[in-house]
Amino acid sequence: MAEHPREDPVISNLSSQIPELSIHPGESAWLEQLDITVHDFPYIHPLLRSAFRDWIPAVSALEVGGQLSWLLADWTAEVIHTEDKAILSIWHERISQLMRTCLDSGETTAVKLYVDAAEEQHIIAAGIPVRTKSKAEIFAVLGCIIQGSAEEIAFGERILGMAQQHFTSCFYRRFENTFFKDMIAIQEQAKREAQRRSFLVDVVQRLHDKIDVDAVLHEVLDSIVRVYPNVHLEILMSQDHQGSNSRVKLLQLQADTDPLCVQAFMEGKLLRNSFRAENGQQQLEIAVPLSGKQGVYGVFHLFIPYEHFEEADIQLVEMLADTAGTAFENAKLYEQSNQLIHELRLINELTQRLSQSLQLKEIFKFATDELLHIFGAEYCCISQLDKDKDFFEMVSTNVTFLSKEIFPRDCGVCGLVYATKEPIILSDYHSYGRVYSRLMEETGSSSLIGVPLMIRGEVSGTILLTHTRSNYFSYENYKLLQVLSTHIGLAVANASLHAEVRRMANRDMLTGLFARHYLDDKLLEFQRRDAKGSLIVVDIDKFKQVNDTYGHQIGDTILKQVCNIIQSTVRKIDVCARWGGEELAVYLPGMELEEGYQLAENIRERVAVETTPPVTVSCGVSHWSRKDEKISVESLFYRADMALYRSKNNGRNQTQVGRDNQ
């Protein structure tokens, strides 16, 4: 086809339609060197279509006579865009062949599609190769279907070359714009990356300045929400962390409510899941483990609108989770070290206070008060096991209806602790359902920690702490109570041993009655406190003869029989003691002389009947009163002894009363 001069008015009009790039002269040189290569051809379809859409309005505005329809084929001769699909469908095979011929020859090619000489109607198709700037490689074919008279066909053919130049300009303008967009996108991406790095460094610095667990969680939550306001975020903790932030919740490992979070926690890696929300918006769910060197502590749980998050943002959240996990672990270790120091102080103070008393009642009362204070519990019960009678007795509690209560060894939580010899912690008693507890039921308690009170490897009692709020006690509370119970058990063992030593020191080993010095001390106490009292001295008649006849072993047996008769005859408040040898003494606090005499007679009569071999006893009774002249302990014993002497001299097996004038 003939070349047309540039001064042609049609060509000038077309040239004026080519858009100008707003590039300064000094900046255009490097742009002119930019070009596509054959390696880019498979990826330029979007650019070709965009350039075709930019180009069509300009060429369509030309008044060339006849009718022009334009189409575009790619570097494989496949038509990818057309103005008139009807014409393309009619002459599809011939147009496709034209595109291939033009591509193979590398020259402008034209074919006649239809000729009507009578009506002077012609339809031709032309293909013009579109080449790269640098190597003139064909990357597209611009096609034109011209309908009209011979003159109109000829006129249409004149603008094909300029149309191809115009299309090439439009394509490269799009290519340059795309290049600029890519550059801007890269710059924006670099800017976002710089912002992310700056944000990460800033958050890391702030996190590592925190030594409080709550502060770490607050900081990371607030930081993420501040940068990503459209993100729904919460932290699910695997441990019983009591925090003030409503977005920090408990991770339920046994529940099905957050399977993605449970899986992320168990596997220790980031997991994601996409879904469509109720409003039709595509959402992304992400679970990122909150990990430290010693383990996984929880999971970051995020719900993200797709359009607001990039892959780099997900990586940033993952790095934040790693940083937060390390900071959380450091804060937790610091908290635990402070807690350990606090616990050691508590243990030291408790041990010192417990060691100051050797009275069991005082130890149990002090332990109850201290445990309530240390753990913030509402109720505390300390029970002691009576092994001989096979029951627990509530020896100290702030639950009034349980004070001094007695219950079987296998009953309730105490029975469970006794059977297993293991401590127990209940977060919700009502959902536990494995044991009935009167303490929990009647106080309305939900949380409980209980430990066995161990003495020399055996369960000697239990300690129970409760609270009406569920999930109240922490695992640290559970461990601390075990440590404190050891020291309480040691104090109880020391007090029990001390009581046993005192009992042994104050008791006669053979008879089990109190020793004489104990009776002396108690009598002084009663005289300071009471207004009156009586004393009985009992002596077994002809005891030497019994020993000589039956032997000392039988003599000891008879002595024990007499002691048992005395103990079963007197009151619980009366004090029985071995006076010496076969002589026994009983002090009767607050008792009149006549009552004392009658009690002595009851003892004498029972001994004569209930001993084997049978023996008799002689008794002497004395009395004191504040109304009378003050009488000493020695005087009281002297009167009773003199009365006993008269019983012996008068024939034995009788009771005499000591008088003031004797």
Side-chain angles (χ1 to χ4, degrees):
M1 304 182 84
E3 290 290 333
H4 299 286
R6 291 185 178 274
E7 62 271 11
D8 189 295
V10 175
I11 296 176
S12 299
N13 185 38
L14 181 61
S15 179
S16 67
Q17 303 290 328
I18 299 175
E20 296 288 340
L21 288 172
S22 57
I23 304 296
H24 295 291
E27 298 175 345
S28 61
W30 67 274
L31 271 176
E32 293 173 357
Q33 297 177 5
L34 291 175
D35 201 358
I36 60 174
T37 67
V38 291
H39 304 294
D40 300 316
F41 291 177
Y43 311 106
I44 62 174
H45 280 186
L47 281 177
L48 289 171
R49 290 190 179 95
S50 299
F52 192 82
R53 286 193 295 268
D54 293 343
W55 171 77
I56 277 294
V59 295
S60 298
L62 297 176
E63 297 180 1
V64 296
Q67 183 178 349
L68 277 69
S69 296
W70 299 91
L71 55 90
L72 180 67
D74 65 6
W75 63 289
T76 65
E78 179 185 355
V79 177
I80 61 173
H81 210 65
T82 181
E83 275 192 298
D84 193 336
K85 293 182 179 180
I87 292 179
L88 178 64
S89 63
I90 295 172
W91 288 292
H92 180 267
E93 289 296 331
R94 297 187 67 184
I95 291 174
S96 296
Q97 182 61 42
L98 172 67
M99 296 294 106
R100 285 192 292 272
T101 302
C102 179
L103 188 65
D104 293 339
S105 66
E107 297 179 353
T108 299
T109 305
V111 296
K112 292 181 180 179
L113 299 177
Y114 175 79
V115 177
D116 187 345
E119 297 183 4
E120 294 187 352
Q121 286 294 318
H122 302 266
I123 302 176
I124 71 165
I128 311 101
V130 183
R131 300 176 182 274
T132 62
K133 291 190 297 186
S134 56
K135 295 185 178 181
E137 296 168 322
I138 301 174
F139 63 88
V141 177
L142 188 63
C144 181
I145 299 174
I146 308 172
Q147 303 179 56
S149 63
E151 292 78 8
E152 291 172 335
I153 294 292
F155 188 73
E157 290 176 341
R158 292 173 56 198
I159 68 168
L160 292 179
M162 193 61 191
Q164 179 265 345
Q165 294 178 18
H166 184 208
F167 177 80
T168 303
S169 298
C170 288
F171 174 81
Y172 276 101
R173 179 183 179 87
R174 276 287 178 177
F175 172 66
E176 290 161 2
N177 286 346
T178 301
F179 178 77
F180 275 115
K181 288 180 180 178
D182 289 343
M183 287 185 61
I184 292 171
I186 291 171
Q187 290 176 350
E188 290 293 329
Q189 184 67 25
K191 182 179 178 181
R192 287 194 295 272
E193 287 296 328
Q195 290 173 341
R196 291 187 185 106
R197 285 194 298 271
S198 176
F199 167 70
L200 183 61
V201 170
D202 184 48
V203 173
V204 168
Q205 180 63 46
R206 291 202 302 271
L207 283 176
H208 285 288
D209 287 341
K210 309 291 184 185
I211 57 174
D212 178 77
V213 171
D214 268 342
V216 169
L217 297 179
H218 273 289
E219 180 62 44
V220 71
L221 283 167
D222 292 344
S223 297
I224 293 177
V225 172
R226 189 165 55 249
V227 176
Y228 304 111
N230 295 318
V231 170
H232 174 76
L233 169 65
E234 60 185 11
I235 299 179
L236 305 179
M237 301 300 295
S238 63
Q239 46 189 264
D240 51 353
H241 174 73
Q242 300 289 338
S244 57
N245 198 314
S246 60
R247 291 172 295 182
V248 179
K249 301 177 181 178
L250 180 65
L251 176 62
Q252 301 286 351
L253 294 176
Q254 304 301 326
D256 297 329
T257 52
D258 299 303
L260 191 72
C261 294
V262 173
Q263 186 181 354
F265 176 81
M266 301 300 293
E267 297 180 6
K269 64 181 182 181
L270 182 147
L271 297 175
R272 65 181 78 185
N273 175 45
S274 61
F275 65 97
R276 190 170 296 280
E278 293 181 358
N279 59 3
Q281 187 181 38
Q282 195 70 14
Q283 293 274 323
L284 182 64
E285 179 186 11
I286 297 178
V288 191
L290 180 69
S291 306
K293 293 182 180 179
Q294 297 184 355
V296 181
Y297 301 98
V299 176
F300 278 79
H301 194 202
L302 301 90
F303 290 96
I304 308 161
Y306 255 117
E307 66 272 14
H308 292 140
F309 240 58
E310 301 176 0
E311 189 64 31
D313 294 309
I314 297 176
Q315 295 173 3
L316 175 63
V317 171
E318 187 173 20
M319 287 187 287
L320 273 176
D322 288 340
T323 303
T326 302
F328 178 88
E329 185 173 76
N330 292 338
K332 196 69 178 175
L333 290 172
Y334 179 80
E335 183 182 82
Q336 289 173 349
S337 64
N338 284 341
Q339 182 67 23
L340 181 59
I341 293 171
H342 175 66
E343 290 177 2
L344 290 173
R345 287 176 179 168
L346 281 176
I347 294 168
N348 184 50
E349 292 174 3
L350 186 68
T351 304
Q352 288 181 354
R353 293 286 300 276
L354 288 171
S355 63
Q356 291 175 5
S357 175
L358 290 173
Q359 299 295 319
L360 278 174
K361 186 176 181 180
E362 292 181 3
I363 289 174
F364 287 134
K365 179 64 169 62
F366 172 74
T368 299
D369 294 341
E370 285 299 300
L371 293 176
L372 286 168
H373 173 70
I374 291 171
F375 295 97
E378 290 181 335
Y379 305 104
C380 176
C381 294
I382 301 179
S383 63
Q384 194 171 25
L385 179 66
D386 188 313
K387 293 185 178 179
D388 296 332
K389 298 182 180 178
D390 204 29
F391 62 79
F392 278 105
E393 179 183 3
M394 198 64 68
V395 293
S396 182
T397 180
N398 65 330
V399 184
T400 54
F401 62 82
L402 288 178
S403 182
K404 301 300 179 183
E405 279 283 307
I406 294 174
F407 45 93
R409 185 173 59 181
D410 59 352
C411 178
V413 179
C414 291
L416 180 63
V417 172
Y418 174 79
T420 61
K421 293 187 178 181
E422 295 290 338
I424 183 173
I425 179 169
L426 297 180
S427 298
D428 188 353
Y429 160 77
H430 300 288
S431 63
Y432 180 65
R434 298 183 186 177
V435 64
Y436 173 82
S437 170
R438 183 183 172 195
L439 167 66
M440 301 297 286
E441 293 288 346
E442 297 197 20
T443 61
S445 295
S446 293
S447 299
L448 174 142
I449 44 177
V451 294
L453 201 57
M454 306 293 291
I455 296 180
R456 291 182 288 275
E458 295 294 329
V459 179
S460 66
T462 62
I463 300 175
L464 304 180
L465 294 175
T466 75
H467 199 282
T468 53
R469 199 171 77 197
S470 58
N471 298 294
Y472 180 77
F473 298 111
S474 67
Y475 184 65
E476 284 73 19
N477 295 150
Y478 173 70
K479 293 188 294 183
L480 177 59
L481 183 59
Q482 294 178 59
V483 176
L484 294 180
S485 69
T486 302
H487 294 274
I488 294 171
L490 183 60
V492 170
N494 290 338
S496 299
L497 182 61
H498 178 74
E500 181 64 19
V501 170
R502 286 187 60 189
R503 189 191 70 80
M504 292 175 63
N506 293 328
R507 295 276 182 177
D508 175 67
M509 296 298 294
L510 177 62
T511 64
L513 300 184
F514 288 109
R516 178 172 178 172
H517 68 85
Y518 180 81
L519 180 60
D520 291 341
D521 294 339
K522 293 299 291 183
L523 211 156
L524 282 171
E525 289 182 21
F526 283 124
Q527 282 195 331
R528 284 194 296 266
R529 187 179 63 196
D530 295 344
K532 57 188 175 183
S534 297
L535 177 68
I536 302 174
V537 178
V538 180
D539 183 76
I540 301 175
D541 297 330
K542 299 181 181 181
F543 191 65
K544 182 177 182 303
Q545 183 178 339
V546 172
N547 284 330
D548 292 342
T549 303
Y550 299 104
H552 286 281
Q553 187 172 359
I554 297 299
D556 290 346
T557 301
I558 290 174
L559 181 60
K560 291 179 183 178
Q561 290 177 7
V562 173
C563 291
N564 291 336
I565 291 170
I566 292 173
Q567 286 181 305
S568 63
T569 303
V570 302
R571 304 169 300 178
K572 288 185 177 181
I573 63 171
D574 298 333
V575 182
C576 304
R578 187 175 182 183
W579 181 254
E582 70 275 17
E583 290 188 1
L584 311 170
V586 183
Y587 179 71
L588 312 167
M591 189 173 285
E592 296 288 353
L593 180 60
E594 292 76 10
E595 295 174 306
Y597 174 81
Q598 187 58 52
L599 190 62
E601 279 292 284
N602 291 342
I603 292 171
R604 183 184 65 79
E605 292 170 359
R606 285 187 62 190
V607 169
V609 175
E610 298 177 16
T611 52
T612 304
V615 296
T616 61
V617 294
S618 299
C619 302
V621 183
S622 62
H623 178 264
W624 72 275
S625 173
R626 289 194 190 279
K627 297 177 181 179
D628 305 327
E629 185 179 348
K630 185 176 182 181
I631 183 172
S632 65
V633 174
E634 292 78 8
S635 299
L636 192 62
F637 273 106
Y638 177 76
R639 292 178 183 178
D641 199 38
M642 288 298 100
L644 176 64
Y645 181 74
R646 289 201 304 275
S647 296
K648 292 283 189 181
N649 287 339
N650 290 342
R652 300 183 179 88
N653 193 22
Q654 58 184 272
T655 301
Q656 294 289 334
V657 176
R659 302 297 179 183
D660 295 342
N661 56 358
Q662 63 181 11

